[in-house]
Amino acid sequence: MKIFLDTANLESIRKFNDMGLLDGITTNPSLMSKEGGNPKDAMEEITKIIKGDVSLEVVSTEYSGMMEEGKRLRQYGENVVVKVPMTPDGLKACKSLSSEGIPVNVTLIFSANQALLAAKSGAKYVSPFIGRLDDVGQDGMQLIQEIKEIFSNYDFGTQILVASVRHPLHVVDAAKIGADVVTLPPGVLDKMMLHPLTKIGLENFLADWDKLKSGNPDIKI
Ligand code: E4P
């Protein structure tokens, strides 16, 4: 399963990229707004730092605007994936951009039928938002299971990009289902690295090493 980071924060992107954890990045207008400044600078920088796919989202809601913006976004790099909303105009833009060789991520997917239609329109990625479904009392992971089952019956070539991830257990469940990608807020990736027994174990190792060193101060690894 590929791991994308769901942020426009350059510091976080560099941090996790230096650990070799990142296969790509997803952004959206809210994430861009959170960082402030000129989003163009961030978009340009992200596409340079990350070798894998970088999803940059259009803000137009009608077809021709999406096409214009999609083509402009693509100029930031060959790794740019144009993110369009799951609307009739979004699907039309998905079809046109994909036919022109520009990969598309269809976002704001909340049902299996929406994922099916986005795949039919030629999307490289569908982004089901599982956390936001959980928030309204629907089982987000159940949707991932359904899309996985449907996609495995056919040969769309569309990847399931699990979005709106809220906690590490979402990641484990998505991996068990066999989702292609999860996109994670930096905080979730931080939490995935931690376990209390790792912390305690390391403290004990170092305490024992100090004991050994107290009798032999010149010892070095
Ligand atoms: C996905 O591409 C979206 O940017 C993101 O996962 C939305 O997550 P949220 O529901 O936490 O805003």
Side-chain angles (χ1 to χ4, degrees):
M1 185 173 66
K2 282 177 271 185
I3 291 180
F4 290 2
L5 201 63
D6 196 26
T7 188
N9 182 276
L10 297 177
E11 199 184 322
S12 295
I13 292 171
R14 288 199 184 93
K15 169 182 154 182
F16 293 111
N17 193 47
D18 287 348
M19 295 179 201
L21 296 176
L22 301 186
D23 298 299
I25 299 290
T26 53
T27 64
N28 63 37
S30 303
L31 293 171
M32 287 291 173
S33 171
K34 194 173 157 195
E35 297 308 316
N38 187 343
K40 285 183 175 182
D41 298 336
M43 290 176 185
E44 202 167 25
E45 193 58 25
I46 295 169
T47 55
K48 278 189 202 141
I49 301 170
I50 295 293
K51 299 277 168 284
D53 284 351
V54 175
S55 284
L56 302 177
E57 188 162 340
V58 301
V59 288
S60 282
T61 53
E62 39 76 40
Y63 171 74
S64 60
M66 286 185 198
M67 290 301 291
E68 264 175 48
E69 289 178 4
K71 286 177 188 176
R72 274 208 299 277
L73 289 172
R74 179 69 174 177
Q75 284 170 5
Y76 288 112
E78 279 299 299
N79 53 346
V80 169
V81 174
V82 176
K83 210 170 173 190
V84 303
M86 175 60 217
T87 61
D89 282 59
L91 291 184
K92 190 173 167 190
C94 176
K95 164 74 180 151
S96 299
L97 290 167
S98 302
S99 306
E100 292 180 32
I102 299 177
V104 176
N105 175 355
V106 178
T107 189
L108 292 167
I109 299 264
F110 293 96
S111 76
N113 273 329
Q114 288 180 321
L116 177 61
L117 296 180
K120 293 285 292 177
S121 293
K124 177 169 184 181
Y125 298 106
V126 289
S127 290
F129 278 33
I130 60 168
R132 293 193 196 185
L133 279 172
D134 290 354
D135 289 345
V136 297
Q138 273 181 259
D139 184 352
M141 205 51 70
Q142 176 64 36
L143 174 60
I144 303 304
Q145 187 81 62
E146 281 178 16
I147 300 172
K148 176 76 184 168
E149 190 181 333
I150 291 167
F151 282 13
S152 71
N153 288 337
Y154 305 101
D155 197 18
F156 296 124
T158 303
Q159 297 180 46
I160 303 170
L161 194 167
V162 179
S164 187
V165 169
R166 299 271 200 262
H167 50 73
L169 204 50
H170 272 155
V171 184
V172 173
D173 289 340
K176 279 156 92 174
I177 291 170
D180 302 286
V181 190
V182 284
T183 188
L184 306 178
V188 173
L189 202 37
D190 273 327
K191 284 181 192 154
M192 285 168 66
M193 283 187 259
L194 303 177
H195 194 287
L197 290 179
T198 305
K199 188 170 180 282
I200 293 166
L202 182 58
E203 284 166 3
N204 288 340
F205 284 154
L206 295 180
D208 289 340
W209 184 254
D210 281 349
K211 266 188 236 160
L212 176 68
K213 255 201 113 174
S214 65
N216 307 272
D218 294 335
I219 293 182
K220 271 193 186 146
I221 292 284

